[in-house]
Amino acid sequence: MAADTNTSTTRLTFFVNGKKHEVDHVDPRTTLASYLRNQMHLTGTKIGCNEGGCGACTVMISDQAPESGAIQHYSVNACLMPVCSVNGKAVTTVEGIGSLVRQRLHPIQERLAKAHGSQCGFCTPGFIMAMYALLRNYPQPTEEQIDVALQGNLCRCTGYRPILEAFYSFAKGGIGCCQSNGAMTNGCCQQNGSAENGSCQQNGVKELNGGGCCQQNGEGEAKVGCCKSGERKELTTLVNFTDCSAYDSSQEPIFPPELLIKTEHPLASWSMLDSGISWYQPSSVAELVDLKSRFPEARI
C-alpha cells in the first residue's frame, strides 16, 4: 500500500536508558543528539563537529533484527540520526551505563579514569559509548576489533595512548598479547595471552599460533608490551587494572520487551507531519519507490 501523505502517526515511542519515552510532535529535522540534549537534558552526549566526523555524540542503538528477531546493538553518530528514526528502538547514552554520583561506574568508565584517559573530557562520552557497543556484541574483543570500533572517535588532548591502554585491557590476553601483569615467560606468549604450553619453540622462534609474541633474543627482542610479527607494538603498560571491576555482560540491561517487533511495534509504514516537514518511513521497497517518484527531491 502506497504511503498516504494525508495521514500521520500519533506519536513516536522509544526507550532512553531503560525508560519509555513518547513524543506526540517533533520537527522531523531534529537530530537525536539535539533532542537528547535540549529536550531530555542528557548533556553527556556532546555535539562537536555536528557532521559525524568526531564521534563525540556517539550513543548506542538497540533494536530487533527484522529477519532473525535477534537483538542487535550498534553505535551511531547521534548528530546525524533523525530522532524520528529511533521509533521502536532503545537508545543508551553515557548517563545510562554508570555514574559516580547515582550509581557505580561502569568498568569502561572506571578503567578509562584510572588510565587518565580523559583530559578536557569532551570526547570521553563518545569513546565510552563506542567501546560499550563493542562489548555488548563482543564481551572479549580483539585489539583489532577495538581499533575498528574507535576509528570514528577523535581526541585532541590525550594522544590516545591512555585511552587505548584502558580499552585494550578488555581484549583477549590483555595489552600487547602478554600476560595480564605484563610479564613475559620465556620471552613468548600464546595468541590468547597465555605464556604456557610451548607458545614458542625452545630456540625462541615463533610457532604458527604464536601471533602477538616476540622472540626471546635477537631481532624483535621482547619488551614489556611485546611486538607483533611484522609490526612493532610499542605500547607500554603504565597502569595495573587488576583491582578494577571485570566486565560482566550478564549484568547489562535487557532490551525492553515492549519494543519486540512481534508485539507492540510491527514493521509497518508510518509518517509524521510537523513544522511543515513530513517524515515517511516505508515498510517495503515498493513503497520507497512510490514515495521517491512522488517526491523526487526528498532525502532518503
Side-chain angles (χ1 to χ4, degrees):
M1 177 178 179
D4 187 348
T5 59
N6 296 318
T7 62
S8 63
T9 187
T10 56
R11 63 182 53 183
L12 302 177
T13 301
F14 54 96
F15 278 66
V16 178
N17 297 332
K19 296 182 179 180
K20 186 177 181 179
H21 195 65
E22 296 180 316
V23 183
D24 293 320
H25 299 284
V26 64
D27 188 333
R29 294 170 294 185
T30 304
T31 64
L32 177 58
S34 296
Y35 191 86
L36 291 172
R37 291 179 57 83
N38 300 330
Q39 302 299 322
M40 303 192 67
H41 308 294
L42 296 173
T43 54
T45 301
K46 308 301 182 185
I47 298 179
C49 66
N50 208 27
E51 57 184 19
C54 70
C57 65
T58 303
V59 299
M60 188 183 79
I61 301 295
S62 304
D63 60 16
Q64 193 176 20
E67 295 182 357
S68 66
I71 304 302
Q72 54 189 6
H73 310 284
Y74 45 93
S75 59
V76 301
N77 290 316
C79 73
L80 296 180
M81 191 169 194
V83 69
C84 288
S85 65
V86 299
N87 187 41
K89 296 176 171 53
V91 181
T92 304
T93 72
V94 70
E95 292 93 344
I97 69 170
S99 169
L100 188 59
V101 177
R102 299 180 181 179
Q103 55 186 342
R104 69 176 179 85
L105 291 176
H106 191 276
I108 299 174
Q109 297 168 316
E110 180 186 12
R111 297 188 189 204
L112 189 62
K114 187 167 185 177
H116 304 285
S118 179
Q119 190 165 324
C120 81
F122 196 82
C123 73
T124 303
F127 271 99
I128 289 173
M129 293 312 299
M131 185 65 190
Y132 180 73
L134 176 64
L135 288 181
R136 291 300 302 268
N137 292 310
Y138 303 98
Q140 286 190 312
T142 65
E143 291 182 11
E144 289 75 16
Q145 288 176 316
I146 294 173
D147 290 341
V148 171
L150 302 181
Q151 64 185 2
N153 295 77
L154 301 180
C155 176
R156 297 184 179 185
C157 297
T158 65
Y160 297 100
R161 190 209 61 78
I163 298 174
L164 291 176
E165 180 170 0
F167 291 169
Y168 282 171
S169 68
F170 292 98
K172 296 179 181 179
I175 296 173
C177 198
C178 286
Q179 291 179 329
S180 59
N181 61 1
M184 303 290 293
T185 301
N186 296 327
C188 302
C189 55
Q190 287 183 329
Q191 193 169 8
N192 64 2
S194 173
E196 300 174 350
N197 299 326
S199 57
C200 291
Q201 296 176 357
Q202 291 182 354
N203 61 2
V205 178
K206 293 189 294 294
E207 292 180 342
L208 292 179
N209 66 344
C213 304
C214 306
Q215 292 182 347
Q216 188 172 0
N217 298 300
E219 184 179 358
E221 182 179 356
K223 298 179 180 180
V224 176
C226 302
C227 59
K228 292 184 178 181
S229 177
E231 176 187 358
R232 293 201 58 80
K233 195 171 187 66
E234 301 294 346
L235 184 61
T236 301
T237 57
L238 300 180
V239 181
N240 186 349
F241 297 102
T242 56
D243 60 341
C244 292
S245 302
Y247 177 68
D248 185 356
S249 59
S250 67
Q251 299 302 307
E252 297 292 357
I254 65 171
F255 183 74
E258 184 178 342
L259 295 182
L260 295 178
I261 288 176
K262 295 180 180 180
T263 56
E264 298 293 331
H265 290 272
L267 289 178
S269 57
W270 60 276
S271 63
M272 172 172 279
L273 173 63
D274 194 281
S275 304
I277 303 296
S278 296
W279 167 278
Y280 298 100
Q281 184 160 310
S283 61
S284 67
V285 175
E287 287 188 28
L288 174 61
V289 172
D290 176 68
L291 283 168
K292 191 59 179 174
S293 66
R294 294 160 63 187
F295 307 102
E297 302 299 323
R299 299 179 182 180
I300 297 179

